[in-house]
Amino acid sequence: MMKSKIFWGTVAPLAAILNSLLLVYVILKFRGVDPIEMFKLMASYGFDPRNLVSELNQTVAYYMAGVAAAIGFKMLLFNIGIDGQYRMGAFFGGVVGAAVSLPPILHVLLIILTAMIAGGLWAAIAGYLKVRRGVSEVISNIMLNFIAAAIIAFLLSPSLLGILPEGSQTLQTREIPASGRMPTIKAFDSEIYTFLFISIAVGVAYWVMLNKTVFGFNLRATGLSFRAARASGVNAPRMIFVTTVLSGAIAGLVGIGTLLSDTHSYSMAFPAGYAFTGLSLALLGRNHPVGIFFAAFLWSFLERSAPVLEFEGVPPEIVIVMQGAIVLSIVVAYEVVARINLRQQQRAVGSVAVDSSITKEAN
Amino acid sequence: MGNVLEVVGIEKNYPGVVANRNVSLNVTEGSIHSIIGENGAGKSTLMKILYGLVRPDAGSIKVFGEAIALKSPQDAIKLGIGMVHQHFKLADNATVLENVILGSEPTRFGFVVKYDEARKKLQEIADHYGLEIDPDESLANLGVGERQRVEIAKVLFRGAKILILDEPTAVLVPQEVEELFTNLRELVKKGLTVLFISHKLDEVLSIADDITIMRQGTTVATRKPKDTNKKELAELMVGGELPKPRAGNQKVSDEKVLAINGASYVREDGRQILSGVNLEIHGGEILGLAGVEGNGQSELIELIMGLLTPSSGTVEVLGLNATTSLTRDIRNAGVAYIPQDRQRDGLLMTAPLWENRVLGHQFAEPLASSIWVNKGAAISDSKRVVDEFDVRTPGVNVLASALSGGNQQKFIVGRELSGNPKLIVAAQPTRGVDVGAQAIIWDHLMKARSGGAGVLLVSADLDELFSLSDRIAVIYNGSIVSVLNPAKTTPEALGLAMTGAKSA
Ligand SMILES: Nc1ncnc2c1ncn2[C@@H]1O[C@H](COP(=O)(O)OP(=O)(O)OP(=O)(O)O)[C@@H](O)[C@H]1O
Ligand SMILES: [Mg+2]
């Protein structure tokens, strides 16, 4: 039972990945390059230990975005506001981190907490609008993303919270002192962010919360049926609000690995686009923390290794085609697998001669 | 008259369950053909197969003499087969007209919907068959009974020749049942054929031309009403004798488990739903609430459960002020709630049964602590409910949606009666369950009463009201118009009171 669940859970994503490889194969063929050679090239570059480390670091950020999206999905919320929430988290984490001096561990914890609160509060606006005013979280979040970017750009002006380091053209927050930084693990001339472990802990906490706790039960119940949850005693509107905030708090952690282990300051150079990535990863990983992790790694791997194709005259945008194809195929693949699965079970039942319409469970 | 429908050797398997096997059925043109059987006997599955919703694993179907393979309801509709489901499938945020034409809109140039024409056609159909509906009413404002009429109109609108009704009377009060039957007789007189499922044997005997009995997935017999009786039908269904509900000994306590004082409720759109309702229930007493669907029962229940705030008046539940208390506190105080709409309010359809056992009990021991859900306890107690209430299911890990309607109902009742509640708010507790299960549920309600619980029994089933209630309050147009003693009143008088007629 358990084994087959895991088996069927992995078949669909693998099929989707294979399908998108096939598509890219055809595209590359048309460009007149040898696809197999290209794949080999990507693999040897992507699996190079040095690159693996940077992929892992990128995975951490994607992973937080994926988990944030998954929490929303469980409530049927489409948290497209991850971008804004992550910026708020990283920015205020950077500002507060640079403004205080505390003993090492406390300092780091304060930054992490600040980031979560900032991301959560920012998401709370969308949550409030949805629960109290009936505004779709998709609309409000898209606007909130713009507003977040604008507010931060404003606050980063040198007369306010930002600085412009000598020789640089990007505004940034002040540097976080050593006590507020997270160590890195040296590996292959590269450095692994130790925030990796915190992100894994977040993944585990997410799973436990969702599947073992009353809070998680209420969250899922509300997502499955608002009315039934309400009738059972759940304060369903409040639950929607809290889930939105929680999703935002996790989104607030997206940039923290980079902030604490690498840049030590937030700058305008922090990338955008985490919302779509997060939503795709939650979809690919079926809202499961392990699935999302692998999905996040796959994304980083593809993004890191695709540019190598440029030397062969293949535009690196091919990776976007690949990612898009994976997301599309996955939706189909899950449906197909679900049907095969059901039919198999039915056949299994049909082949057992039953003289009652009910076969009581053996165990 | 020939057979409009010939079914031979149908088989359908679901994970862990054989829903249909070796099913055979012949339906004569222009007749009313009833299908009866226990919960989970496979009636709905067979109907879904005939409507193209479910594909059989084996067997053949002939419609109007022609062998067919239905791939979808569209195929069925083309062949003139229409179905009204056990659980309605209407869009809440649309009008009656929009719901009726949804999916079969008459259009100009293929995309401009001809509303006027559709309205005219609907009105004609409604007048013709005496279906009382207002095309422009929003569906959200309609009660279950009215929704059904819309469903029937919808099927007729598509030109159905064979009408499948899955438990149409479960949701109706006797007067409405009579109206429906008049309509059905009218339909068959005009040459249509009606297939209809019911658990109420009296009804079946009075309306059907033929009765086919299903047991454990297979058709076991077909009878003419004149050649059979209730007892034989029941025995054919269960393959044995029926259980009889025992009357428990009664001991009414002084404790008021429910006290409603002058409760009124005005809806957002300004409509007065409840006006000055006064009700009291003591421990050890069953108060029946009779009334035609949509006279304020749902709102009254929601007031009691803290899901709605009265515009004026007070509602006191087990000493709690329901107006200011959270639903979870009301439940925790010992209130059980069997909602009228089991699929929307009572279940998480896509969650396993054991999680549905937790639903409503997630705020207290033994199924949960303040932080954790106790999965082990939930699973073992789900098994208890399954055994005690004879829920037909392959296990407690299957999704709630995999259970037949009646078995879903039994599970909900079993869940709600767990943990010795002090007040049981039971809305249509036996809707859609077979006679055997009805006896089990009645028995448990009686037992709860003997144990000192108070019961508010909201029911459209007069039989049920008379069998169980110590007092019967009649609600009409948002007011309690009379409180009757069931020993001193007749079903006719009660029926009359429900329609708002002043008693002489
Ligand atoms: N989608 C499904 N998946 C799995 N099992 C199903 C599904 N639909 C029905 N079943 C099973 O098939 C059997 C027959 O179900 P069906 O709904 O036909 O019963 P029914 O005779 O209509 O009962 P009721 O009187 O309770 O409505 C039941 O045991 C039910 O659990
Ligand atoms: Mg059924």
Side-chain angles (χ1 to χ4, degrees):
Chain A
M1 181 72 192
M2 196 57 213
K3 260 191 195 137
S4 87
K5 208 169 141 190
I6 292 174
F7 172 75
W8 287 111
T10 33
V11 159
L14 288 181
I17 291 163
L18 216 69
N19 188 38
S20 80
L21 278 178
L22 218 66
L23 180 79
V24 172
Y25 182 97
V26 173
I27 294 176
L28 290 175
K29 199 88 188 167
F30 267 104
R31 273 202 75 98
V33 293
D34 181 356
I36 299 293
E37 273 310 306
M38 295 300 120
F39 290 152
K40 275 192 192 151
L41 207 60
M42 273 178 78
S44 72
Y45 186 78
F47 283 122
D48 178 87
R50 278 195 54 140
N51 293 327
L52 271 178
V53 171
S54 90
E55 284 156 23
L56 201 59
N57 289 338
Q58 181 61 55
T59 299
V60 171
Y62 282 164
Y63 186 50
M64 289 297 90
V67 172
I71 292 179
F73 276 149
K74 281 289 172 188
M75 187 56 94
L76 304 184
L77 291 169
F78 201 76
N79 187 0
I80 193 85
I82 289 174
D83 252 316
Q85 294 146 14
Y86 125 78
R87 275 185 195 289
M88 283 299 186
F91 174 75
F92 282 106
V95 168
V96 170
V100 300
S101 62
L102 281 171
I105 293 179
L106 272 183
H107 198 161
V108 168
L109 283 179
L110 177 74
I111 295 172
I112 291 177
L113 202 66
T114 307
M116 292 182 77
I117 291 173
L121 284 180
W122 194 246
I125 301 173
Y128 173 84
L129 288 173
K130 181 175 179 80
V131 173
R132 279 295 153 82
R133 297 272 169 265
V135 180
S136 154
E137 79 279 5
V138 177
I139 311 281
S140 57
N141 269 324
I142 290 175
M143 311 234 225
L144 284 169
N145 284 346
F146 284 112
I147 298 172
I151 290 179
I152 290 170
F154 171 73
L155 290 177
L156 270 180
S157 70
S159 57
L160 293 166
L161 298 171
I163 52 169
L164 189 63
E166 233 167 289
S168 163
Q169 279 159 0
T170 357
L171 288 162
Q172 60 169 63
T173 58
R174 264 169 250 283
E175 290 240 330
I176 296 171
S179 60
R181 301 177 183 182
M182 278 188 91
T184 54
I185 302 169
K186 297 242 182 311
F188 311 105
D189 299 333
S190 253
E191 296 174 29
I192 302 174
Y193 303 165
T194 40
F195 189 73
L196 171 70
F197 300 109
I198 292 187
S199 76
I200 290 173
V202 169
V204 172
Y206 157 75
W207 187 86
V208 171
M209 179 277 286
L210 201 62
N211 294 296
K212 298 288 171 195
T213 68
V214 173
F215 177 82
F217 180 87
N218 292 342
L219 193 163
R220 283 183 299 128
T222 311
L224 291 175
S225 166
F226 182 88
R227 289 183 47 152
R230 221 168 88 83
S232 82
V234 178
N235 186 341
R238 185 166 153 260
M239 205 65 214
I240 292 179
F241 178 78
V242 172
T243 305
T244 311
V245 173
L246 198 62
S247 176
I250 305 298
L253 293 177
V254 168
I256 297 306
T258 314
L259 182 76
L260 295 187
S261 289
D262 184 12
T263 60
H264 310 305
S265 68
Y266 176 89
S267 78
M268 294 303 275
F270 269 53
Y274 278 109
F276 273 115
T277 307
L279 293 164
S280 306
L281 298 178
L283 201 62
L284 185 58
R286 282 214 119 168
N287 299 333
H288 192 283
V290 176
I292 301 169
F293 192 88
F294 281 116
F297 179 75
L298 177 69
W299 244 233
S300 324
F301 177 89
L302 290 177
E303 277 168 12
R304 180 80 186 174
S305 56
V308 73
L309 299 182
E310 220 170 345
F311 299 116
E312 307 295 324
V314 179
E317 280 74 23
I318 192 80
V319 70
I320 297 174
V321 175
M322 216 154 165
Q323 291 174 338
I326 292 176
V327 172
L328 266 182
S329 329
I330 195 72
V331 179
V332 180
Y334 279 137
E335 186 57 35
V336 172
V337 164
R339 286 195 194 169
I340 295 176
N341 205 351
L342 186 73
R343 199 156 329 135
Q344 279 222 338
Q345 285 188 48
Q346 288 174 7
R347 205 164 299 145
V349 177
S351 63
V352 183
V354 256
D355 55 2
S356 151
S357 71
I358 309 301
T359 52
K360 288 275 178 197
E361 218 170 33
N363 43 357
Chain B
M1 292 250 175
N3 284 339
V4 283
L5 204 57
E6 284 170 48
V7 174
V8 182
I10 290 282
E11 188 173 321
K12 177 71 197 176
N13 300 304
Y14 282 115
V17 177
V18 180
N20 273 179
R21 80 200 141 101
N22 205 6
V23 167
S24 300
L25 182 68
N26 289 315
V27 181
T28 322
E29 185 162 12
S31 72
I32 299 182
H33 197 122
S34 275
I35 315 280
I36 61 171
E38 280 188 291
N39 294 128
K43 307 178 296 293
S44 297
T45 304
L46 177 60
M47 296 304 125
K48 285 180 194 158
I49 289 173
L50 295 177
Y51 188 52
L53 270 173
V54 167
R55 257 191 265 180
D57 299 337
S60 72
I61 303 171
K62 275 190 195 170
V63 178
F64 295 110
E66 222 173 294
I68 49 142
L70 297 167
K71 291 207 180 60
S72 69
Q74 278 76 27
D75 290 353
I77 290 165
K78 267 187 224 134
L79 289 163
I81 302 174
M83 174 157 178
V84 175
H85 291 273
Q86 190 168 1
H87 302 99
F88 301 152
K89 299 184 186 242
L90 298 170
D92 250 2
N93 48 1
T95 67
V96 168
L97 181 66
E98 283 163 347
N99 264 291
V100 166
I101 64 176
L102 195 72
S104 65
E105 299 90 341
T107 51
R108 198 171 289 134
F109 320 122
F111 58 89
V112 184
V113 179
K114 294 192 268 187
Y115 278 107
D116 292 341
E117 192 171 302
R119 180 178 288 109
K120 210 173 128 230
K121 185 172 162 194
L122 175 60
Q123 203 63 61
E124 277 170 19
I125 290 172
D127 293 345
H128 192 62
Y129 298 114
L131 297 169
E132 245 178 74
I133 45 177
D134 173 2
D136 299 310
E137 178 76 60
S138 164
L139 213 79
N141 297 337
L142 300 189
V144 185
E146 293 157 309
R147 280 164 193 246
Q148 179 177 68
R149 255 172 271 156
V150 178
E151 285 273 15
I152 293 177
K154 180 169 178 155
V155 172
L156 294 174
F157 192 87
R158 267 141 239 250
K161 297 276 182 300
I162 303 172
L163 206 63
I164 299 173
L165 302 173
D166 195 347
E167 297 192 31
T169 58
V171 295
L172 304 179
V173 294
Q175 277 85 352
E176 289 176 309
V177 172
E178 265 321 306
E179 267 172 46
L180 173 72
F181 284 178
T182 315
N183 290 332
L184 295 186
R185 289 199 183 97
E186 198 64 34
L187 294 179
V188 293
K189 226 185 271 166
K190 299 216 155 67
L192 303 194
T193 307
V194 175
L195 265 167
F196 114 98
I197 298 178
S198 174
H199 288 294
K200 298 177 185 164
L201 301 180
D202 287 322
E203 276 176 20
V204 169
L205 285 167
S206 86
I207 181 98
D209 298 307
D210 300 286
I211 304 165
T212 292
I213 301 100
M214 290 187 75
R215 183 167 74 224
Q216 299 190 342
T218 189
T219 42
V220 291
T222 299
R223 292 277 187 277
K224 296 262 180 214
K226 62 174 168 28
D227 303 331
T228 186
N229 55 48
K230 254 173 98 169
K231 188 159 179 292
E232 191 202 15
L233 291 180
E235 281 167 9
L236 282 168
M237 274 164 56
V238 299
E241 292 248 351
L242 282 177
K244 279 250 170 292
R246 295 158 286 160
N249 42 354
Q250 190 186 10
K251 217 169 65 222
V252 180
S253 72
D254 293 334
E255 190 201 0
K256 274 185 220 162
V257 291
L258 177 70
I260 302 177
N261 269 311
S264 296
Y265 176 66
V266 181
R267 209 166 50 187
E268 266 173 41
D269 64 5
R271 213 173 118 185
Q272 179 98 27
I273 305 291
L274 292 171
S275 20
V277 171
N278 295 310
L279 274 185
E280 248 177 38
I281 300 180
H282 289 262
E285 166 184 60
I286 298 182
L287 174 73
L289 185 66
V292 177
E293 193 89 35
N295 274 289
Q297 296 96 319
S298 320
E299 287 78 6
L300 188 64
I301 291 171
E302 291 191 3
L303 291 186
I304 296 169
M305 294 310 299
L307 294 165
L308 214 58
T309 313
S311 318
S312 62
T314 62
V315 180
E316 209 174 288
V317 182
L318 298 173
L320 286 176
N321 179 351
T323 311
T324 53
S325 300
L326 295 170
T327 304
R328 59 178 279 182
D329 294 332
I330 293 173
R331 273 187 172 274
N332 272 356
V335 179
Y337 175 33
I338 301 166
Q340 161 171 331
D341 192 333
R342 57 178 166 239
Q343 297 199 338
R344 287 210 295 183
D345 295 328
L347 290 171
L348 304 173
M349 292 292 280
T350 50
L353 268 195
W354 73 263
E355 287 196 343
N356 275 290
R357 171 65 188 87
V358 177
L359 194 69
H361 297 86
Q362 70 266 47
F363 299 109
E365 301 277 352
L367 298 192
S369 66
S370 56
I371 297 177
W372 308 104
V373 171
N374 188 342
K375 180 173 175 180
I379 287 184
S380 66
D381 203 63
S382 302
K383 288 183 177 154
R384 176 190 65 79
V385 170
V386 165
D387 284 343
E388 237 170 78
F389 287 80
D390 191 26
V391 179
R392 308 291 170 87
T393 169
V396 299
N397 282 315
V398 300
L399 304 186
S401 60
L403 263 60
S404 80
N407 283 306
Q408 290 169 356
Q409 183 68 22
K410 288 191 246 172
F411 189 81
I412 293 177
V413 173
R415 168 183 82 196
E416 293 303 330
L417 294 186
S418 308
N420 297 323
K422 298 199 195 83
L423 170 65
I424 300 163
V425 178
Q428 322 291 357
T430 59
R431 170 170 291 174
V433 308
D434 61 49
V435 275
Q438 184 183 48
I440 297 178
I441 291 174
W442 283 4
D443 214 43
H444 274 92
L445 286 174
M446 286 301 222
K447 229 191 276 165
R449 184 189 75 157
S450 315
V455 180
L456 175 67
L457 173 70
V458 181
S459 181
D461 183 341
L462 296 193
D463 233 19
E464 181 161 85
L465 288 169
F466 274 99
S467 308
L468 298 182
S469 309
D470 299 306
R471 290 182 296 143
I472 300 177
V474 182
I475 188 167
Y476 178 73
N477 212 355
S479 305
I480 303 294
V481 290
S482 51
V483 180
L484 307 169
N485 179 346
K488 292 184 185 142
T489 191
T490 61
E492 289 71 29
L494 177 58
L496 216 57
M498 284 161 64
T499 59
K502 295 268 178 292
S503 50

